[in-house]
Amino acid sequence: MSTASAAPAPRSAAAVALLALIASAAAMGISPVFVREAGVGPYTSAFYRVFLALPLLWGWARLEARRADAPADRGWTRAQVAAGVFFAIDLFFWHLACLKTTIANATLLATMAPVWVMLLSMVIGEKVTRLMLTGLAVCVAGGAVLVGSSWQFAPERLIGDLYGIATSVGFGLYFLAVRVARREAPAGVILWRSSIVTAALLGGIALAFENAWMPATLGGVAALIAMASISHVGGQGLLAYALGHLSAAFSSLVIFLEAIAAALFGWLVFGEALNLLQGAGGLAILVGIWVARPRKAD
């Protein structure tokens, strides 16, 4: 990966990118609702999430290529392929974690992706400020409070907890790969190409581990289409756009909002209870993002 740092984004572009990140977190946060309603196996639903999005992503990539100010297409790059591989790793281990440990454990450990992003940001030539590290600490504490009230350690679930950590590593590396890829290509092109890689890998995994490929109801079909269009095209697309304007470290903190969105959607759709302690955790995440926000001197 290139170590050249991208130029700082203008304030207007950074503001739009921040709004895109917030919308991205919400779009990804609703994905567990679609997974529950899909009626297929976890690996199959992960495959459909990416595969069904490919036609929309192809159209997006074509539109970007036709823009008058579009840069010359350099073709496939290592960063684009790496993004596809890392996202497949993220989804694979996330579903394994959900099977082998509690949802609370899996969610809490998966939210540690910003830790890896900040540890490895120097590899792609981006600095991590003290305020970002402070914001990370506050966000991690908030995430622990938000989803960690039912977190439990048990030796028989240790392998599942390790899968949760692997999920966070995969997502963290995905952030870094997309950030590097955005220095050379627009968001739609990157997501289109990386999603081909992800779909191919997840398709092979689903074939190896599951045999129920078709949802039993029209509601299941609708859930898969919604997951592809909202959570992947919308969520990952907005994330890829934002990573062209904001650092990987700060962007990873904003995605902590996904935990808040998931909790809210669980309450609205499934009636899952929320309490004041979880509200305090969500507020801490917001405070952490505010502390870590980009400054003029960053």
Side-chain angles (χ1 to χ4, degrees), residues 61-214:
R62 292 283 293 175
L63 286 174
E64 287 190 325
R66 292 177 179 176
R67 280 176 19 209
D69 60 343
D73 186 2
R74 300 184 181 182
W76 286 74
T77 65
R78 287 181 296 176
Q80 293 169 11
V81 174
V85 172
F86 292 144
F87 193 59
I89 291 172
D90 165 47
L91 290 180
F92 174 73
F93 282 111
W94 165 250
H95 288 297
L96 274 180
C98 290
L99 292 171
K100 298 295 184 180
T101 189
T102 65
I103 295 297
N105 285 28
T107 303
L108 177 60
L109 294 168
T111 58
M112 297 300 107
V115 175
W116 308 110
V117 173
M118 293 203 184
L119 285 175
L120 296 172
S121 281
M122 66 181 67
V123 174
I124 64 169
E126 294 187 352
K127 67 177 181 179
V128 176
T129 66
R130 291 182 180 179
L131 286 174
M132 286 182 182
L133 292 173
T134 302
L136 172 64
V138 176
C139 284
V140 169
V145 172
L146 179 64
V147 300
S149 57
S150 56
W151 189 90
Q152 300 174 356
F153 174 77
E156 64 273 14
R157 289 197 291 264
L158 177 59
I159 187 65
D161 294 340
L162 293 175
Y163 289 149
I165 295 172
T167 300
S168 71
V169 174
F171 198 37
L173 292 174
Y174 172 78
F175 260 90
L176 297 170
V178 173
R179 174 61 173 162
V180 171
R182 282 290 279 125
R183 296 171 183 169
E184 301 175 339
V189 172
I190 293 167
L191 196 56
W192 153 246
R193 289 174 176 161
S194 65
S195 294
I196 292 174
V197 176
T198 302
L201 293 173
L202 291 177
I205 291 169
L207 279 172
F209 289 98
E210 295 173 346
N211 53 22
W213 279 77
M214 295 301 297

Side-chain angles (χ1 to χ4, degrees), residues 1 3 7 16 28 31-33 40 52 86 107 142-143 148 154 163 187-188 254 263 270 288:
M1 293 184 185
T3 58
V16 173
M28 289 189 283
S31 64
V33 175
V40 295
L52 294 178
F86 292 144
T107 303
Y163 289 149
V254 178
F270 299 113

Side-chain angles (χ1 to χ4, degrees), residues 127 129 294-298:
K127 67 177 181 179
T129 66
R295 270 79 166 179
K296 285 184 179 181
D298 285 357

